[in-house]
């Protein structure tokens, strides 16, 4: 078994670990361990909420999640010899649950605490607990389904440079400035306004082994871990599973690789926001360096080669969606956001005919290994998106007859 370089105690929050991780991106967060190119090692991770969700039947912990805490990450890991402009090659050799903690959760976030892709249709909080049995999982909260997961880190990436961090904060602040001024709206209307970006917020910042004198500055500047960016980050790509090789652009000396937000399973889109089967776990990694690789290959964002390990489902029921608003019938031009939403809603309405509640179907589409596609992007005025559900995950026939 590879040597564990970052170990977690699930009874303690991340800032009280023997080696504390972090929940903000900043180049000045010190590395906690170092490795050489060619090394193989293990990193343990807490779940993305730092243990806020419990294995019980009460969904109120989903309602009450403090999102200033997320995502808690393990690292940064210093890779000897890595320099800006290099490519960091990361092989995901194995991913699994921590012994004695073989369970996970999926949640629908309440509309007033982040919501999700279908928050206007499902504005209230809900939770499903999943029992992990080797490669399979089932839930007492969504009976009648059992499936194999495609386990992956939802979040993995290298530290940004100071210049890149400044670019992120500038462009996201500019985006937020275009949002309507909520003070001009009543409470009811303001609650329906989307949050455009999560800007730096020092509340509950965890910054690893940062010196006390630097803490306030870094907490005020550090980028939130919510979105994917040029360095990787919170991409939530289900195919970053065992055997995957990822190529990351390096922005700072040592690369400072961090990871977390492990998912036992997820559907394309992770539509309920807390929509994978979230878990604590471990990742076994191998690293290497391609010197000068960023310029050589014209890299802007990470590139990856999927591994050979994934569920072997062969029969799917596929739902289509087009760029037409479900409330007003308004035609939009090539809007893939609306088209995918319609595909998801069509699938949910269908599953409700087989005994699932809307909330159960929403949770299932978010965490089961469903395949989402932008299937057509040229046939004006409608983009066509599809959502494919593997029929073998159900214990009964769900085909039309």
């Amino acid at each position: 078994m590879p040597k564990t370089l970052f170990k977690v105690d699930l009874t303690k929050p991340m800032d009280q670990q023997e080696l504390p991780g972090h929940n903000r991106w900043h180049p000045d967060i010190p590395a906690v361990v170092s490795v050489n190119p060619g090394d193989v090692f293990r990193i343990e991770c807490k779940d993305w909420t730092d243990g806020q969700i419990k294995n019980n039947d009460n969904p109120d912990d989903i309602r009450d999640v403090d999102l200033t805490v997320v995502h808690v990450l393990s690292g940064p890991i210093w890779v000897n010899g890595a320099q800006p402009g290099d490519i960091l090659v990361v092989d995901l050799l194995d991913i699994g649950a921590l012994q004695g903690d073989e369970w996970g959760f999926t949640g629908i976030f309440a509309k007033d605490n982040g919501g999700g892709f279908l928050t206007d249709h499902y504005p209230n909080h809900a939770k499903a607990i999943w029992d992990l049995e080797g490669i399979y999982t089932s839930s007492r909260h969504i009976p009648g389904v059992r499936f194999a997961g495609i386990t992956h880190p939802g979040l993995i990436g290298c530290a940004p440079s100071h210049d890149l961090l400044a670019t992120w904060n500038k462009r996201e602040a500019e985006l937020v400035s275009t949002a309507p001024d909520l003070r001009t709206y009543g409470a009811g209307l303001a609650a329906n306004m989307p949050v455009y970006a999560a800007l730096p917020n020092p509340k509950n910042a965890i910054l690893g082994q940062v010196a006390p004198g630097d803490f306030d500055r870094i907490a005020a500047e550090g980028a939130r871990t919510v979105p994917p960016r040029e360095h990787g980050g919170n991409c939530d790509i289900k195919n970053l599973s065992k055997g995957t090789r990822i190529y990351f652009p390096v922005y700072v000396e040592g690369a400072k690789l961090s990871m977390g937000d492990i998912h036992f399973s997820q559907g394309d889109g992770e539509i309920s926001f807390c929509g994978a089967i979230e878990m604590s776990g471990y990742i076994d990694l191998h690293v290497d360096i391609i010197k000068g690789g960023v310029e050589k290959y014209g890299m802007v964002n990470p590139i990856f080669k999927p591994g050979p390990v994934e569920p072997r489902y062969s029969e799917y029921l596929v739902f289509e969606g087009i760029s037409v608003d479900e409330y007003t019938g308004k035609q939009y031009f090539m809007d893939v956001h609306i088209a995918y939403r319609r595909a998801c809603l069509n699938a949910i309405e269908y599953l409700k005919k087989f005994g699932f509640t809307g909330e159960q179907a929403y949770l299932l589409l978010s965490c089961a290994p469903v395949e989402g596609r932008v299937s057509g992007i040229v046939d004006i005025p409608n983009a066509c998106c599809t959502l494919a559900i593997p029929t073998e995950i159900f214990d009964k026939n769900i085909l039309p007859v």
Side-chain angles (χ1 to χ4, degrees):
M1 186 174 73
K3 182 179 180 180
T4 301
L5 299 186
F6 191 102
K7 191 171 182 61
V8 297
D9 180 343
L10 296 178
T11 68
K12 297 179 180 179
M14 182 58 83
D15 62 354
Q16 295 178 23
Q17 298 289 321
E18 182 178 351
L19 282 180
H22 60 106
N23 62 359
R24 303 293 190 268
W25 291 112
H26 197 286
D28 295 341
I29 297 175
V32 292
V33 295
S34 64
V35 298
N36 292 315
D39 281 357
V40 174
F41 53 94
R42 174 169 290 190
I43 300 295
E44 294 183 353
C45 304
K46 296 198 71 181
D47 82 85
W48 74 295
T49 72
D50 203 9
Q52 294 183 66
I53 309 303
K54 307 303 180 186
N55 185 355
N56 58 36
D57 300 330
N58 186 345
D60 287 352
D61 49 9
I62 290 286
R63 179 196 63 194
D64 299 334
V65 165
D66 187 342
L67 292 176
T68 64
V69 173
V70 303
H71 302 72
V72 289
L73 304 180
S74 299
I77 301 160
W78 182 281
V79 182
N80 292 322
Q83 295 291 335
D86 294 342
I87 288 175
L88 181 66
V89 183
V90 178
D91 293 309
L92 305 180
L93 303 179
D94 194 15
I95 310 169
L98 296 177
Q99 187 173 6
D101 201 55
E102 293 92 354
W103 66 279
F105 61 90
T106 306
I108 298 173
F109 270 33
K111 189 170 186 176
D112 59 2
N113 193 26
F117 188 52
L118 304 179
T119 193
D120 289 338
H121 295 268
Y122 297 97
N124 299 318
H125 62 285
K127 180 173 76 172
I129 298 296
W130 297 85
D131 296 315
L132 310 182
E133 302 165 333
I135 66 169
Y136 293 101
T137 189
S138 58
S139 173
R140 61 186 181 269
H141 298 122
I142 310 178
V145 296
R146 181 174 184 264
F147 53 85
I150 179 167
T151 310
H152 59 280
L155 198 161
I156 183 170
C158 296
S161 65
H162 284 279
D163 287 345
L164 184 59
L165 176 63
T167 295
W168 293 349
N169 288 340
K170 179 177 183 292
R171 74 189 184 197
E172 292 174 21
E174 288 173 347
L175 175 64
V176 169
S177 73
T178 67
D181 187 344
L182 300 187
R183 292 172 298 180
T184 65
Y185 295 88
L189 286 176
N192 291 322
M193 297 295 181
V195 176
Y196 283 10
L199 299 181
N201 182 353
K203 181 182 178 183
N204 287 323
I206 303 170
L207 304 177
Q209 296 178 328
V210 161
D214 293 329
F215 190 95
D216 290 345
R217 172 184 62 84
I218 294 173
E221 297 172 350
R224 299 298 306 281
T225 59
V226 176
R229 298 185 180 94
E230 290 88 343
H231 70 143
N234 192 31
C235 294
D236 291 321
I237 301 171
K238 76 177 193 299
N239 302 97
L240 292 179
S241 192
K242 300 177 183 180
T244 294
R245 170 167 286 189
I246 316 174
Y247 303 87
F248 289 105
V250 174
Y251 299 99
V252 298
E253 184 180 4
K256 292 187 175 180
L257 177 71
S258 298
M259 67 209 67
D261 187 28
I262 296 180
H263 299 164
F264 180 82
S265 177
Q266 180 202 297
D268 285 333
E270 198 189 7
I271 57 176
S272 76
F273 179 44
C274 184
I277 298 179
E278 310 282 354
M279 58 182 259
S280 61
Y282 67 85
I283 309 176
D284 293 344
L285 305 107
H286 166 272
V287 294
D288 212 335
I289 299 169
I290 300 175
K291 300 302 294 182
V294 169
E295 181 178 359
K296 181 178 180 180
Y297 294 107
M299 178 178 283
V300 176
N301 295 85
I303 302 168
F304 72 96
K305 180 180 181 296
V309 179
E310 62 180 38
R312 295 179 60 186
Y313 293 115
S314 59
E315 297 180 2
Y316 291 83
L317 193 60
V318 183
F319 296 84
E320 298 182 16
I322 57 174
S323 308
V324 176
D325 186 88
E326 67 271 22
Y327 288 114
T328 65
K330 180 179 177 179
Q331 177 74 65
Y332 284 82
F333 181 74
M334 308 305 289
D335 192 318
V336 296
H337 185 277
I338 291 176
Y340 196 58
R341 185 173 76 220
R342 293 302 303 268
C344 293
L345 289 169
N346 291 341
I348 289 171
E349 287 305 308
Y350 184 88
L351 291 175
K352 286 166 65 175
K353 304 302 183 183
F354 292 84
F356 296 98
T357 67
E359 288 77 10
Q360 287 176 323
Y362 185 18
L363 289 165
L364 183 61
L365 295 185
S366 195
C367 70
V370 304
E371 300 286 335
R373 297 285 187 273
V374 178
S375 298
I377 199 67
V378 297
D379 300 318
I380 61 172
N382 277 324
C384 179
C385 288
T386 54
L387 182 76
I389 307 174
T391 56
E392 297 107 310
I393 73 175
F394 299 95
D395 65 3
K396 58 187 173 185
N397 181 17
I398 65 161
L399 295 178
V401 293

